[in-house]
């Protein structure tokens, strides 16, 4: 399934897909469809509007989100900043598109029954970012991310990819049965809130 969103102030292209199904000996089967429709697109969190500065894991803390009656909280449990993209580039896709810098963030919520990892990649041009996002939409193995921060046993396991300006965002979420009912909406809001924050970065973005 593909979700495409065009937002004012910047181009945003979003997709999401299921991760590989877990080994049945260690995890329950992943769901095959989203149990709820997509909610309204949230606005980016105020504390993430940091224009004209390199992306850095230290700029991101716990995720505390509120939009109308919708609230979510997640504790940041890890953050890594890479001055090059080589450490996360599994098969050369990032290098071919001249990826410049990468940040990884790890979160947990609902007392550890839901976990999330976000990989933020910056590129020199919008065109390079778009090309990377299209490739990542078709492959869950092009980017290496901290699988040790995810649940070993889960019933929800999906990834979403978005490109906004010259930034590509990969968000992976796993949840066990306790948090399964909340996972789809949590995943959507976390991913969209973070993706929308890049609309406010950079005075200019070249094609």
């Amino acid at each position: 399934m593909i979700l495409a969103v065009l937002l004012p102030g910047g181009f945003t292209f979003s997709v999401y897909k299921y991760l590989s199904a877990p080994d049945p000996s260690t995890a329950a089967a992943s769901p095959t469809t989203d149990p709820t429709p997509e909610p309204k697109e949230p606005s980016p969190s105020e504390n993430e509007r940091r224009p004209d500065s390199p992306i850095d894991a230290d700029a991101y803390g716990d995720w505390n989100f509120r939009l109308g009656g919708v609230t979510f909280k997640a504790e940041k449990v890890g953050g890594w900043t890479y001055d090059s993209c080589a450490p996360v580039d599994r098969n050369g896709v990032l290098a071919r598109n001249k990826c410049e810098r990468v940040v990884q963030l790890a979160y947990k919520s609902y007392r550890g029954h839901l976990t999330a990892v976000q990989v933020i990649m910056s590129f020199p041009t919008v065109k390079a970012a778009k090309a990377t996002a299209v490739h990542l939409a078709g492959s869950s193995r092009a980017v290496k991310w901290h699988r040790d921060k995810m649940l070993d046993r889960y019933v929800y396991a999906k990834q979403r990819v978005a490109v906004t300006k010259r930034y590509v965002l990969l968000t992976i979420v796993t949840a066990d049965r306790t948090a399964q009912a909340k996972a789809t909406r949590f995943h959507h809001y976390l991913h969209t809130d973070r993706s929308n924050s890049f609309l406010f970065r950079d005075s200019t973005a070249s094609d």
Side-chain angles (χ1 to χ4, degrees):
M1 181 182 297
I2 296 178
L3 171 68
V5 180
L6 184 63
L7 297 173
F11 177 85
T12 298
F13 167 64
S14 301
V15 299
Y16 72 91
K17 61 180 292 184
Y18 297 108
L19 301 177
S20 300
D23 187 332
S25 65
T26 60
S30 297
T32 57
T33 59
D34 283 334
T36 58
E38 294 295 323
K40 181 181 178 181
E41 302 295 313
S43 299
S45 300
E46 291 290 338
N47 63 353
E48 293 175 11
R49 301 180 183 184
R50 303 173 183 271
D52 300 317
S53 59
I55 54 174
D56 193 291
D58 290 341
Y60 300 92
D62 295 344
W63 185 56
N64 296 299
F65 179 84
R66 180 182 296 274
L67 180 68
V70 178
T71 60
F72 290 104
K73 292 184 178 181
E75 178 188 352
K76 181 183 175 183
V77 294
W80 304 266
T81 302
Y82 306 94
D83 291 330
S84 80
C85 302
V88 303
D89 193 356
R90 189 182 298 277
N91 55 21
V93 173
L94 303 186
R96 286 196 296 273
N97 289 300
K98 297 179 171 55
C99 179
E100 296 176 324
R101 189 177 178 92
V102 174
V103 161
Q104 282 202 66
L105 306 168
Y107 294 94
K108 69 176 182 179
S109 188
Y110 303 113
R111 298 183 179 180
H113 293 284
L114 182 150
T115 60
V117 168
Q118 292 193 303
V119 184
I120 305 168
M121 296 154 274
S122 66
F123 293 83
T125 65
V126 174
K127 182 178 179 180
K130 290 179 182 178
T132 303
V134 169
H135 188 96
L136 297 185
S139 172
S140 63
R141 296 187 57 81
V143 173
K144 292 183 284 187
W145 41 273
H146 276 269
R147 294 178 182 267
D148 59 309
K149 296 300 181 181
M150 310 304 280
L151 296 177
D152 292 328
R153 298 176 62 87
Y154 51 81
V155 295
Y156 177 101
K158 297 180 187 178
Q159 70 175 34
R160 294 182 180 232
V161 178
V163 55
T164 305
K165 291 188 173 180
R166 59 186 187 89
Y167 299 94
V168 175
L169 172 67
L170 173 66
T171 304
I172 308 100
V173 169
T174 58
D176 62 18
R177 293 191 182 279
T178 299
Q180 181 181 10
K182 307 175 183 71
T184 297
R185 284 171 60 83
F186 179 99
H187 196 172
H188 170 77
Y189 278 102
L190 174 63
H191 182 72
T192 307
D193 182 45
R194 185 63 35 83
S195 178
N196 284 355
S197 71
F198 300 122
L199 291 171
F200 300 89
R201 296 184 64 93
D202 307 331
S203 299
T204 60
S206 61
D207 292 334

